Amino acid sequence: MLTLFQALWPLFALIVGGYLLRRWDFPGEAFWPAAERLNYFILFPALLFSSLATAPLGNPALPRLALAVFLGLGIGWAALLLARRVLSWPAARFGAITQGILRFNTYLGLAAIGSLFGKDGLAIAALMLALMVPLVNLMSVWALTAERGVSLRGLLLPVAKNPLILACLAGALVNLAGIGLPGGTDRLLNLLAVASLPLGLLCVGAALRPQELAGEVPALAWNCALRLLAMPALAFLVARVLGLPAMESSILVLFFALPTAPTAYVLTRQLGGDSHLMAGIITLQTLLAAGSLLLVMRTLSA
């Protein structure tokens, strides 16, 4: 438990630091949107590209890991569709709830995996991201536009333009081609990657909106319980059924235990979803994850 605490508390300290810096208006309001763009389009893709370019694609557990990802997300998506039919959620609300349960904070996830499992863990995590990010983005866009419909182009275009997905594809192609990262390229990418996670966690904290926690208390409570406790339990069962190795199983469960992504708020606003509910979900899940991640990982290691 002490080892887990020592690995995770610095990550949440950075999140709290980001929240306090923005509240104190340092270094200025214009800094945070620019920092998010820098990280989203350059630093974080560099981390994913370098991790996938050197990842062990010959790992015999990878097909089972891919199946576990598809099963976990598929079961969650099917349950959400059934709940929407029974409860008649409008698309604006359904989109926020769906993102709260299926999306995940990649910055926090990779920082936690790097602290717990090192470079080998990051390589496995990058492979999982290559599978999960496109699927979760498609589900999120469809959920937010379920009532008015969306063309296939409108559904796929945000996914095709996503820099994280493009970085994953490029890294996998370089790996399969056997090119490697010659001539100091690996060092350059590592320098960019090192800056990505701390900056990303600061931006996560800066995006928190505690004022949005008023109202919607029951919805916030059960959404957080499903995301932070039920989804990792589902991932654990899937991993056990498929017989995943210990590290791959732990990384799968950790990804399913992460709070939702702060970028879900931006997508929700763009597509006319319930941004008030989405902001509350993001904030409460991020705050509660400080305890729930310790609980989930402690249960795994028991």
Side-chain angles (χ1 to χ4, degrees), residues 262-301:
T263 50
Y265 180 77
V266 178
L267 183 64
T268 301
R269 282 181 60 90
Q270 287 177 343
L271 296 180
D274 189 338
S275 58
H276 170 70
L277 176 60
M278 192 74 255
I281 289 172
I282 292 166
T283 299
L284 188 57
Q285 283 192 14
T286 304
L287 295 174
L288 293 178
S292 65
L293 279 176
L294 280 172
L295 174 63
V296 168
M297 298 311 292
R298 176 68 182 86
T299 303
L300 274 179
S301 61

Side-chain angles (χ1 to χ4, degrees), residues 63-113:
R64 281 178 292 160
L65 183 60
L67 180 57
V69 167
F70 294 138
L71 278 176
L73 289 178
I75 292 170
W77 178 239
L80 282 165
L81 291 175
L82 178 61
R84 178 177 182 255
R85 178 176 291 273
V86 172
L87 299 172
S88 301
W89 287 323
R93 189 172 185 83
F94 180 54
I97 290 169
T98 295
Q99 292 186 92
I101 293 174
L102 295 184
R103 292 192 73 167
F104 49 90
N105 190 319
T106 49
Y107 298 131
L108 179 56
L110 288 186
I113 288 165

Side-chain angles (χ1 to χ4, degrees), residues 140-257:
S140 300
V141 172
W142 189 91
L144 285 163
T145 58
E147 285 173 351
R148 61 183 183 270
V150 63
S151 66
L152 184 61
R153 182 178 183 275
L155 191 62
L156 294 177
L157 190 59
V159 178
K161 293 169 62 177
N162 188 308
L164 308 187
I165 297 171
L166 295 176
C168 288
L169 289 174
L173 288 174
V174 167
N175 191 316
L176 293 171
I179 299 172
L181 300 173
T185 308
D186 57 339
R187 178 62 178 159
L188 171 63
L189 291 171
N190 285 336
L191 288 171
L192 293 171
V194 165
S196 173
L197 294 178
L199 181 61
L201 292 173
L202 287 171
C203 289
V204 169
L208 294 181
R209 294 174 171 83
Q211 69 275 13
E212 301 289 352
L213 294 177
E216 296 280 12
V217 173
L220 291 175
W222 62 255
N223 191 279
C224 289
L226 288 174
R227 176 63 212 175
L228 301 178
L229 299 176
M231 289 300 286
L234 171 62
F236 177 76
L237 289 175
V238 169
R240 289 293 295 269
V241 168
L242 296 179
L244 286 178
M247 184 172 73
E248 285 80 354
S249 178
S250 296
I251 291 173
L252 178 74
V253 172
L254 193 150
F255 261 113
F256 276 70

Side-chain angles (χ1 to χ4, degrees), residues 14-28 31-32 202 206:
L14 283 171
I15 292 173
V16 172
Y19 171 73
L20 293 175
L21 286 173
R22 187 159 196 174
R23 187 173 181 181
W24 296 334
D25 196 27
F26 180 86
F31 171 80
W32 298 105
L202 287 171

